[in-house]
Amino acid sequence: MARLAWLMSFVLLSCLFCKAETKVPCLIFSGNAEKEYCIDLSSLNRITFGDNSMVISSSKDASKKSVELLYSLYHHLEIGDETPTNIGASVDVISDDSISRIYVDAKSKLLYLRSRDDSKFHVGVFDVSGNLLLTSDLSNGDTMTLEALSSGVYIAVASDGKTKLNLKFVLN
């Protein structure tokens, strides 16, 4: 028993002086964004789901900065042991208006375009077999109705000639 206690204290002391990055239980977000986003579960432990984004915040400390992530950028979530992402370093937070994006509100069956300027985007909506079902030209703030689509999985593609946006979405 004494040997086990000595071994455990040695391991704990070794970890205190370890220079390696600390991996902790994290929510790991990924999707269309260029990088994964890992949030420390001990720091931010509440997810609130909205129509177009999710907000990750602390249920214990209101002074901690919350993070808002778009579904069109981060649509995959898992739990794992990772090194947390520096919250202030992310460029994929919804408050960054320099990013063009498309997103869908499944309840109202509308596709939205947000763009950094007023350039025209040509938007196409495809089924999973690659058949083009809908097209429209949209500018910043415009919407496209998806009423003609039945329940299923679809892919929206938008391009202004310089920027290409893709979004996989589900209608119920």
Side-chain angles (χ1 to χ4, degrees), residues 151-167:
S151 296
V153 178
Y154 299 95
I155 300 165
V157 178
S159 177
D160 67 351
K162 299 175 284 186
T163 304
K164 185 175 180 182
L165 308 170
N166 298 301
L167 175 67

Side-chain angles (χ1 to χ4, degrees), residues 53-110:
S53 64
M54 61 190 124
V55 176
I56 300 90
S57 60
S58 173
S59 64
K60 301 170 187 155
D61 186 357
S63 68
K64 291 194 181 202
K65 182 179 178 185
S66 61
V67 178
E68 186 170 10
L69 302 173
L70 287 171
Y71 296 138
S72 60
L73 294 177
Y74 296 97
H75 52 78
H76 182 76
L77 164 68
E78 61 184 272
I79 297 175
D81 291 333
E82 291 290 333
T83 304
T85 303
N86 180 357
I87 291 173
S90 175
V91 295
D92 298 322
V93 177
I94 192 170
S95 62
D96 183 357
D97 291 327
S98 67
I99 299 172
S100 296
R101 55 188 162 260
I102 53 176
Y103 55 93
V104 170
D105 180 355
K107 287 182 185 174
S108 65
K109 287 196 169 184
L110 290 174

Side-chain angles (χ1 to χ4, degrees), residues 100-103 111-123 136-144 158-160 165:
S100 296
R101 55 188 162 260
I102 53 176
Y103 55 93
L111 180 140
Y112 294 86
L113 173 76
R114 295 289 179 246
S115 175
R116 63 184 136 228
D117 56 33
D118 287 330
S119 60
K120 285 271 190 206
F121 279 78
H122 184 70
V123 181
S136 184
D137 288 323
L138 302 177
S139 295
N140 183 35
D142 289 345
T143 61
M144 175 180 179
S159 177
D160 67 351
L165 308 170

